[in-house]
Amino acid sequence: MNIQKQKKVIMEKSYRKKKLRVCVATCNRADYSKLAPIMFGIKADPENFDLEVVVLGSHLIDDYGNTYRMIEQDDFDIHTKLHTIVRGEDESAMVESVGLALVKLPDVLNRLRPDVMIVHGDRFDALALATSAALMNIRILHVEGGEVSGTIDDSIRHAITKLAHYHVCCTRSAEQHLIAMCEDNDRILLAGCPSYDKLLSAMNKEDYMSVLKNWLGEGVNAGDYIVALQHPVTTNIKHSIKMFELTLDALISFNKKILILFPNIDAGSKEMVRVMRKKGIEHHPNFRAVKHVPFEQFIQMVAHAGCMIGNSSCGVREAGAFGTPVINLGTRQTGRETGENVLHVRDADTQNKIFHALELQFGKRYPCSKIYGDGNAVPRILKFLKSIDLDEPMQKKFRFPPVKECFSQDIDYVLETQSALAVDLGGTNLRVAIISMKGEILKKYSQSNPKTYEERIDLILKMCVEAATEAVRFNCRILGVGISTGGRVNPHEGVVLHSTKLIQEWNSVDLRTPISDALHLPVWVDNDGNCAALAEKKFGHGKGVENFVTVITGTGIGGGIIHHNELIHGSTFCAAELGHIMVSLDGPECLCGSRGCIEAYASGMALQREAKKLHDEDMLLVEGMLVKNEEPVSAVHLIQAAKLGNSKADNILRAAGAALAVGIVNILHTVNPSLVILSGVLAPHYENIVKHVVSQRALTSAQGVNVVTSELEEPALLGAASMVLDYTTRRI
């Protein structure tokens, strides 16, 4: 009896140590870039895994680069090569290719008998793999399910999801989609994109210039070339071919060096290649047309490009990690989560529209985004694989929501309020707020702004930690930190370059790094005037308006300009310094050192200066007014005196409003907005005179501009929050 027990224990230990037989099937160059990091991880752990590699699809076609060779170069043993592509590159050929794969795969899977088959993405080849494995009772782990994009890919991706037993997704939204599709929450892993593991480690390699020269020749510089990658849209082939023609025409006219990759094997690709040859792209001096670029070299090319254009998922996924500007054409990626580096041209129906997008995007740099991963996906996936219990029944269980319930408690976190921490650094106060997606200020904290850099940073961190802790009580998920501050700001680096005299020790200050490191959250920083414009764009009068200007009238004068739905920063980040538009050559002295600026006439400080002069001459107070001895004279007293009939106070207020109005007329003649929003405490007192001067002094074509007073109570905080909320939840 004791011997039998010992044998049973030994057998159980032996079973627990059994290696997991994992089959990874790769169909094309794109899915291999996502699967390769997982394959390397499995291969590096021979005690727990046996790896079998099956190669099929366009990997084995010469016209598409025979990319199976890169798998061999990565030192993977390919168990089986299956020729499954029926040539023709049309809808019928895609269907026949699926059928051919279904005929050939059963024999391979019978020989391999894997415990788990890893399938990636949304290609028609992958659908054949998942169908075969499911019907042969082989567990399927699907990578990158739950995402949303355009074309037939969505349907294929979700079909594979329903066949798969385990799911590895890249984003929180994708995870929520899988849960909404009734997949078992216990079998969903939010890991991030596996390609980011390789991508984030390779992007900073110093030998990138040799890669650039290898593909584009001598004389090419980082940031001075374009990467183009465009595929057919199978649900509208005719339109996608026309769009490709327009893209090539725009690229030829743009006259930059271009690395262009041939399209994938989807229906319509043959016609796209014909378009390339008709336009002589393969022999054009500005173009280098290639079938394939090894992934590590390709990401170097994308990382250092002046722009990427096309409709590849790489543009909305991998390129964001480098902050590379991207122009996404058409509907193929509609619904994908994107960073602010992506400019969408959904109706790319003219060459001029695409050319204008190139002018807007080329050479820009955006904050790096990690929407799709943090570089640690593979360890999570390997741990997930090890947790698979082969004794569990094969039959999938779906988590249908209760018919009479609004939601399942298993997905409570879906109901979290996506929110931002907003910080407003003013000359007097330092404020932090928790702000929801709808612009609701859930909680606000305020302290006096310290005079030294160290004390100020410490207080910001302390207040943000307190707010982030309390956010849990409001059922909020903090997505990031947005900071509004006075002075000139480089928003790409999160650095205050030069501050106003109201905030001391605030020049050349890196705000992003210490706050992001301490809170483990992304951080955005911008000038308070720009933040006011962003607040109006998301929550105020500027919502849905393509071109408008916000003018802040407070202690100082500032503002922000929205042009073609984009915030204008300028070449040295001093655009929209509206307070320093000169309206007189010999006017009052301004804090900037010049004379006759709008701020020297119309700011709260300027009105306070004039109020003190009147008070010193006993010409301020009128009947019904009282200024206590210890009470400082301010702009409020000047406004009160004007309302009570003090003609001198009224004249000063009118002159201030006129100076502001003349500056606004200059703005109208420069950027021609359709809307001017007056923000700040003085705005209601200036609105009528601004409207009057505009109607009298502006050009006839500009007199129809709409001038309104902001209805937002906290524009700086709301604008700071909008930087976070728009970036982290962007859907276009």
Side-chain angles (χ1 to χ4, degrees), residues 677-696:
I677 303 170
L678 300 178
S679 181
V681 293
L682 298 174
H685 307 290
Y686 288 148
E687 181 179 354
N688 289 334
I689 191 168
V690 168
K691 287 180 176 178
H692 175 73
V693 173
V694 167
S695 68
Q696 298 294 314

Side-chain angles (χ1 to χ4, degrees), residues 453-679:
Y453 164 78
E454 290 81 5
E455 291 176 329
R456 192 173 297 125
I457 289 291
D458 287 345
L459 183 57
I460 292 171
L461 291 174
K462 179 182 176 183
M463 293 174 73
C464 285
V465 168
E466 180 183 351
T469 303
E470 194 156 0
V472 177
R473 186 167 63 85
F474 294 102
N475 198 31
C476 291
R477 182 158 64 91
I478 300 298
L479 301 175
V481 182
I483 302 174
S484 166
T485 179
R488 188 163 60 94
V489 175
N490 179 344
H492 306 317
E493 303 294 335
V495 173
V496 181
L497 300 172
H498 179 75
S499 182
T500 65
K501 293 182 179 180
L502 297 174
I503 308 178
Q504 300 172 11
E505 295 188 19
W506 211 235
N507 296 328
S508 301
V509 173
D510 179 1
L511 274 178
R512 176 177 291 161
T513 302
I515 296 173
S516 181
D517 288 348
L519 300 177
H520 304 291
L521 288 169
V523 175
W524 288 263
V525 187
D526 213 330
N527 167 271
D528 51 5
N530 290 335
C531 285
L534 291 174
E536 295 292 343
K537 183 175 184 288
K538 186 169 182 66
F539 302 112
H541 291 302
K543 195 169 185 178
V545 181
E546 188 175 3
N547 300 288
F548 71 89
V549 173
T550 298
V551 181
I552 303 175
T553 59
T555 306
I557 301 289
I561 299 172
I562 301 293
H563 186 64
H564 292 317
N565 292 314
E566 296 288 339
L567 185 65
I568 304 298
H569 285 101
S571 59
T572 57
F573 311 106
C574 66
E577 287 290 348
L578 308 182
H580 300 291
I581 294 175
M582 293 178 63
V583 293
S584 172
L585 291 175
D586 56 357
E589 186 176 355
C590 181
L591 282 176
C592 71
S594 185
R595 286 184 173 275
C597 299
I598 296 175
E599 189 166 290
Y601 284 99
S603 67
M605 291 185 297
L607 296 183
Q608 182 182 38
R609 179 191 67 224
E610 297 302 317
K612 285 180 178 178
K613 287 181 182 178
L614 289 181
H615 189 257
D616 291 344
E617 297 169 3
D618 292 328
M619 301 176 69
L620 177 65
L621 301 183
V622 295
E623 187 177 349
M625 283 185 67
L626 177 66
V627 179
K628 298 177 182 178
N629 291 333
E630 67 277 7
E631 183 182 4
V633 175
S634 68
V636 174
H637 297 109
L638 186 77
I639 293 168
Q640 185 182 5
K643 286 182 176 179
L644 292 173
N646 186 325
S647 60
K648 290 187 177 295
D650 187 60
N651 288 339
I652 291 170
L653 206 56
R654 286 180 176 277
L660 176 66
V662 170
I664 288 174
V665 169
N666 291 330
I667 296 168
L668 299 183
H669 294 167
T670 304
V671 295
N672 192 27
S674 61
L675 173 68
V676 174
I677 303 170
L678 300 178
S679 181

Side-chain angles (χ1 to χ4, degrees), residues 177-372:
H177 292 156
L178 291 172
I179 293 170
M181 291 165 68
C182 306
E183 295 299 315
D184 188 341
N185 193 29
D186 294 334
R187 293 190 172 195
I188 300 172
L189 172 68
L190 175 56
C193 182
S195 67
Y196 268 56
D197 290 29
K198 201 171 184 180
L199 177 149
L200 294 175
S201 63
M203 62 184 286
N204 295 318
K205 287 189 175 180
E206 296 179 358
D207 62 346
Y208 68 89
M209 281 305 301
S210 63
V211 176
L212 269 57
K213 290 176 182 177
N214 180 48
W215 292 100
L216 289 174
E218 296 290 336
V220 67
N221 295 313
D224 199 34
Y225 63 90
I226 296 169
V227 174
L229 179 53
Q230 199 158 331
H231 301 301
V233 178
T234 55
T235 50
N236 196 344
I237 295 172
K238 186 176 179 180
H239 176 71
S240 64
I241 293 167
K242 178 62 177 176
M243 184 170 63
F244 188 51
E245 285 190 76
L246 296 172
T247 303
L248 294 179
D249 289 338
L251 288 171
I252 292 168
S253 299
F254 200 67
N255 197 30
K256 290 290 181 182
K257 285 285 186 181
I258 297 154
L259 176 70
I260 184 167
L261 279 79
F262 280 78
N264 64 21
I265 201 167
D266 280 352
S269 60
K270 187 165 58 176
E271 287 83 355
M272 290 179 72
V273 173
R274 285 197 191 111
V275 170
M276 290 176 65
R277 287 173 178 158
K278 179 182 174 183
K279 294 184 179 292
I281 295 301
E282 291 172 284
H283 305 290
H284 194 288
N286 278 352
F287 285 80
R288 173 78 190 281
V290 296
K291 296 174 181 177
H292 169 67
V293 179
F295 182 68
E296 284 199 11
Q297 296 180 39
F298 180 67
I299 60 177
Q300 295 284 6
M301 296 299 296
V302 172
H304 299 285
C307 179
M308 184 175 184
I309 187 169
N311 60 8
S312 168
S313 62
C314 176
V316 299
R317 297 170 67 97
E318 283 82 358
F322 315 121
T324 300
V326 171
I327 299 167
N328 180 51
L329 302 174
T331 60
R332 190 170 183 267
Q333 302 301 332
T334 298
R336 291 269 194 201
E337 297 169 76
T338 66
E340 66 179 270
N341 65 309
V342 180
L343 175 64
H344 295 263
V345 187
R346 282 168 288 187
D347 297 319
D349 51 1
T350 67
Q351 176 186 339
N352 186 56
K353 191 180 290 186
I354 299 171
F355 187 88
H356 185 55
L358 285 165
E359 288 182 314
L360 287 174
Q361 285 288 79
F362 186 80
K364 279 188 177 181
R365 226 60 204 166
Y366 291 90
C368 296
S369 162
K370 293 185 180 179
I371 293 175
Y372 286 94

Side-chain angles (χ1 to χ4, degrees), residues 88-114:
E89 285 79 11
D90 58 15
E91 295 96 329
S92 297
M94 290 169 64
V95 176
E96 291 169 4
S97 296
V98 172
L100 184 58
L102 288 171
V103 169
K104 291 187 174 185
L105 278 166
D107 179 58
V108 175
L109 297 179
N110 266 327
R111 283 188 278 112
L112 291 178
R113 301 308 303 173

Side-chain angles (χ1 to χ4, degrees), residues 429-442:
N429 294 318
L430 170 57
R431 300 182 304 154
V432 174
I434 305 169
I435 298 180
S436 74
M437 184 66 68
K438 295 181 179 179
E440 181 184 359
I441 298 177
L442 303 175

